[in-house]
Amino acid sequence: ELVADMHGAVIKSADSVYMLEDHTKIGKGGFITVCPIQELQYLITDQPLEEEAQRILEENKICIMIAGE
């Protein structure tokens, strides 16, 4: 929890927030939440996303970047 709190403080002071995550992890729950989706601006991933994940990210105005493209 302390690490999540520290990340949250860093995110609040950042100009842009990026998330780097492989496509198999997107949409899955985790042990901690670093920040709400509304605070992200960019997602970098390894493969195109499933339609539902793509739609949710686009609705939240998150730019999706596929590594290697």
Side-chain angles (χ1 to χ4, degrees), residues 2 4 6 12 37 59:
L2 178 60
M6 184 177 72
K12 286 184 193 307
I37 193 171
E59 285 176 358

Side-chain angles (χ1 to χ4, degrees), residues 34-54:
V34 176
C35 72
I37 193 171
Q38 296 85 359
E39 293 184 13
L40 293 176
Q41 284 86 40
Y42 301 94
L43 168 69
I44 304 168
T45 190
D46 60 335
Q47 293 184 23
L49 306 178
E50 294 180 7
E51 288 182 29
E52 179 70 6
Q54 178 97 18

Side-chain angles (χ1 to χ4, degrees), residues 14-68:
D15 292 329
S16 297
V17 179
Y18 291 77
M19 179 171 69
L20 176 65
E21 191 157 28
D22 83 64
H23 74 284
T24 65
K25 306 294 188 288
I26 296 170
K28 309 286 191 261
F31 293 108
I32 60 171
T33 300
V34 176
C35 72
I37 193 171
Q38 296 85 359
E39 293 184 13
L40 293 176
Q41 284 86 40
Y42 301 94
L43 168 69
I44 304 168
T45 190
D46 60 335
Q47 293 184 23
L49 306 178
E50 294 180 7
E51 288 182 29
E52 179 70 6
Q54 178 97 18
R55 182 186 62 74
I56 291 168
L57 293 169
E58 288 174 351
E59 285 176 358
N60 283 279
K61 297 180 175 52
I62 297 169
C63 178
I64 303 165
M65 295 181 268
I66 309 298

